[in-house]
């Protein structure tokens, strides 16, 4: 049973009943009128607590059903999402120079990124609304994730991606049977097209920034993180939660999950958020440093999942970082590339560029005194490295090519050691 009570506009404060509006506040429009799902936390405290969670056999994001805006459980697609591993990574912590470092491997979701948490909810809502088709615009992962969940649920999809999306992500879309428009333009242009097509054809809109339900799926990553800390590192919780930022939905969702765990009495102290962007696309960093409004910019970074020049969830993400007394940092593409083998070799986790950007972000934040060496950090590793093989190869170099002869190996490794 869900304790979802309705939606509240983050701009004007108007409240709506659960089925009164589906996307944004009609009074404020889609730029400002972002809605936030509300729950009856008083009653939730009785059903979500240490004892009930410990006794819950469901090891997926649906273990938090009372905290999700789902009315009809029968519409939940049968594709396992969530309860991804949380690792305590001491060698990575030593390398970075922090007290403790956790890695939450979101690449272990069914379509290999964090976006599955949002798509799962999107598909449930679309089924509840009896939608005939779902659409989204995406830098790649939201698209492949929607395609996967829509396939599991049997709903057709139409997807808009920018031409520069990595090939592996486009291959996923086609394999899952989505109708794919590869837009010869930026993600921002793909986004506008998708919005217009959704309005014109009545397709259900899975764009995270204007669909308030999706972020509710995203928040489950930190509900899990906090619950898992208690077993992975009893008594320790992160001082910082590190998230790479494009549109801003992921970090806003992460913050909502943390606040809810705190509200339910399951997290003693709220961590701070570190939002990580790329040097070539850092609208959040600029606005945060200069205390100014959002100024959309160009998107020039190899980390395609965070190449978002016009973030669509600016307010929620900025508020999250400010409320947490956190910070935004930007890192170079070279630092992002270096982080791919670093994370793989020190923690055994292979991430795509946006997935590992947090590792580079921690190094920047340590160098500038934002994070202290005595503090602990948790990285949300948002996407699997096989999503973008081109960047992986650039980061790790080539294999040693040999003729099939022992002599070649001896030449390469030197004299054998006598045993
Ligand atoms: C989408 C995505 C992000 C950023 O999420 P936003 O909600 O756009 O801020 C980060 N990493 C990966 C792998 C993603 O797919
Ligand atoms: Zn409003």
């Amino acid at each position: 049973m869900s304790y979802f009570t309705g939606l509240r506009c983050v701009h004007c404060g108007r409240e709506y009943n659960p089925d009164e509006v589906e996307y944004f506040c009609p009074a404020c429009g889609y730029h400002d009128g972002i809605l936030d799902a509300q729950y009856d936390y008083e009653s939730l405290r009785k059903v979500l607590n240490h004892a009930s969670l410990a006794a819950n056999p469901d090891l997926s994001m649906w273990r938090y059903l009372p905290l999700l805006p789902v009315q009809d459980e029968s519409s939940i697609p049968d594709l396992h999402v969530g309860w991804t591993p949380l690792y305590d990574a001491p060698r990575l912590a030593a390398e970075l120079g922090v007290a403790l470092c956790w890695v939450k491997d979101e690449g272990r979701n069914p379509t290999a990124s964090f976006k599955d948490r949002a798509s799962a909810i999107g598909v449930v809502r679309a089924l509840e609304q009896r939608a005939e088709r779902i659409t989204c615009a995406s830098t790649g992962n939201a698209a492949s994730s929607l395609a996967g969940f829509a396939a599991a649920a049997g709903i057709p999809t139409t997807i808009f991606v920018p031409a520069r999306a990595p090939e592996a992500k486009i291959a996923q879309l086609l394999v899952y049977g989505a109708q794919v428009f590869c837009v010869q333009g930026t993600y921002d242009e793909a986004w506008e097209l998708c919005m217009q097509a959704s309005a014109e054809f009545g397709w259900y809109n899975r764009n995270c920034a204007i669909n308030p339900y999706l972020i509710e799926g995203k928040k489950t990553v930190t509900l899990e993180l906090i619950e898992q800390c208690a077993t992975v590192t009893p008594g320790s919780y992160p001082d910082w939660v590190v998230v790479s930022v494009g549109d801003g939905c992921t970090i806003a969702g992460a913050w909502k999950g943390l606040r809810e765990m705190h509200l339910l009495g399951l997290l003693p102290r709220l961590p701070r958020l570190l939002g990580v962007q790329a040097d070539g696309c850092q609208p959040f960093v600029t606005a945060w440093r200069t205390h100014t409004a959002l100024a959309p910019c160009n998107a020039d970074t190899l980390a395609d999942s965070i190449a978002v020049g016009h973030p669509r969830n600016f307010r929620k993400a900025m508020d999250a970082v400010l409320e947490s007394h956190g910070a935004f940092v930007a890192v170079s593409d070279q630092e992002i590339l270096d982080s791919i083998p670093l994370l793989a070799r020190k923690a055994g986790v292979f991430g795509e560029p946006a997935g590992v950007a947090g590792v580079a972000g921690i190094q920047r934040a340590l160098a500038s005194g934002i994070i202290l060496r005595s503090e602990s950090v948790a990285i949300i590793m948002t996407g699997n490295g096989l999503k973008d093989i081109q960047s992986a190869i650039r980061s790790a170099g080539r294999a040693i090519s040999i003729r099939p002869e022992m002599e070649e190996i001896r030449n390469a490794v030197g004299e054998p050691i006598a045993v």
Side-chain angles (χ1 to χ4, degrees):
M1 176 187 163
S2 173
Y3 292 74
F4 173 52
T5 56
L7 298 159
R8 187 174 187 277
C9 175
V10 299
H11 192 66
C12 72
R14 275 191 184 79
E15 303 215 354
Y16 299 92
N17 291 327
D19 284 315
E20 205 175 337
V21 291
E22 188 64 19
Y23 304 125
F24 46 85
C25 169
C28 299
Y30 76 74
H31 281 295
D32 295 319
I34 296 189
L35 298 173
D36 186 40
Q38 309 290 302
Y39 297 87
D40 172 6
Y41 290 108
E42 254 336 287
S43 307
L44 270 165
R45 256 186 226 117
K46 294 179 204 115
V47 292
L48 276 184
N49 47 51
H50 286 294
S52 73
L53 287 171
N56 189 340
D58 183 352
L59 295 182
S60 79
M61 67 178 256
W62 305 112
R63 65 195 274 103
Y64 307 108
L65 201 58
L67 258 182
L68 293 171
V70 171
Q71 279 136 8
D72 176 9
E73 280 175 53
S74 69
S75 37
I76 293 175
D78 190 14
L79 204 50
H80 185 97
V81 54
W83 207 252
T84 57
L86 179 72
Y87 301 117
D88 170 15
R91 285 190 298 126
L92 181 61
E95 177 76 24
L96 294 172
V98 290
L100 244 171
C101 179
W102 296 263
V103 180
K104 178 97 170 126
D105 185 5
E106 286 294 297
R108 292 282 294 275
N109 280 304
T111 78
S113 90
F114 169 82
K115 296 291 198 295
D116 287 343
R117 296 178 185 274
S119 293
I121 295 274
V123 166
V124 169
R125 288 296 305 181
L127 288 171
E128 286 177 351
Q129 306 293 303
R130 310 218 183 309
E132 278 167 14
R133 182 172 285 272
I134 314 182
T135 188
C136 83
S138 156
T139 56
N141 284 335
S144 40
S145 158
L146 172 61
F149 277 84
I155 311 183
T157 50
T158 296
I159 283 166
F160 298 80
V161 286
R164 62 169 299 167
E167 251 179 321
K169 298 182 184 179
I170 295 177
Q172 281 184 296
L173 299 178
L174 298 167
V175 167
Y176 283 124
Q179 177 183 51
V180 184
F181 289 113
C182 202
V183 180
Q184 292 155 30
T186 61
Y187 167 60
D188 300 309
E189 290 167 306
W191 201 90
E192 290 293 349
L193 263 183
C194 175
M195 288 295 290
Q196 289 172 28
S198 164
E200 194 161 324
F201 298 105
W203 299 335
Y204 189 81
N205 193 327
R206 182 244 175 263
N207 283 327
C208 204
I210 62 117
N211 185 323
Y213 295 101
L214 300 173
I215 221 170
E216 300 302 302
K218 290 192 165 190
K219 77 185 180 188
T220 59
V221 73
T222 39
L223 300 177
E224 285 176 20
L225 170 75
I226 296 308
E227 208 192 326
Q228 290 170 317
C229 276
T231 37
V232 172
T233 48
S236 296
Y237 295 96
D239 294 309
W240 290 86
V241 171
V242 184
V243 185
S244 58
V245 181
D247 270 319
C249 307
T250 307
I251 199 164
W255 182 238
K256 187 157 189 188
L258 292 167
R259 268 181 21 234
E260 290 184 337
M261 286 309 254
H262 187 62
L263 259 173
L264 294 171
L266 299 167
L267 172 63
R269 184 177 44 85
L270 278 167
R272 297 160 83 175
L273 291 175
L274 182 69
V276 182
Q277 296 213 283
D279 278 346
C281 183
Q282 45 171 310
F284 277 103
V285 183
T286 309
W288 179 75
R289 267 203 199 120
T290 55
H291 306 282
T292 50
L294 167 68
C297 61
N298 287 335
D300 179 17
T301 169
L302 61 76
D304 62 289
S305 300
I306 51 170
V308 182
H310 185 166
R312 305 293 171 167
N313 218 337
F314 182 79
R315 192 70 273 148
K316 263 193 194 174
M318 182 58 80
D319 287 352
V321 168
L322 292 175
E323 257 177 66
S324 80
H325 306 287
F328 281 104
V329 290
V331 296
S332 70
D333 277 5
Q334 190 55 51
E335 289 172 294
I336 292 175
L337 282 179
D338 293 344
S339 301
I340 297 175
L342 180 68
L343 181 64
R345 291 167 198 185
K346 299 294 175 188
V349 175
F350 180 19
E352 67 160 270
V356 304
V359 176
I362 292 168
Q363 290 169 313
R364 276 281 179 107
L366 281 163
S368 52
I370 293 171
I371 296 183
L372 305 177
R373 302 210 169 269
S374 57
E375 292 184 306
S376 60
V377 296
I379 302 165
I380 313 285
M381 209 302 289
T382 43
N384 190 285
L386 294 173
K387 291 263 194 182
D388 180 2
I389 276 307
Q390 237 42 53
S391 297
I393 290 170
R394 271 181 70 187
S395 78
R398 296 269 161 195
I400 307 163
S401 173
I402 58 165
R403 281 175 285 115
E405 288 162 18
M406 272 310 289
E407 196 51 33
E408 293 265 283
I409 305 175
R410 290 192 194 102
N411 291 341
V413 303
E415 289 303 308
I417 303 158
V419 187

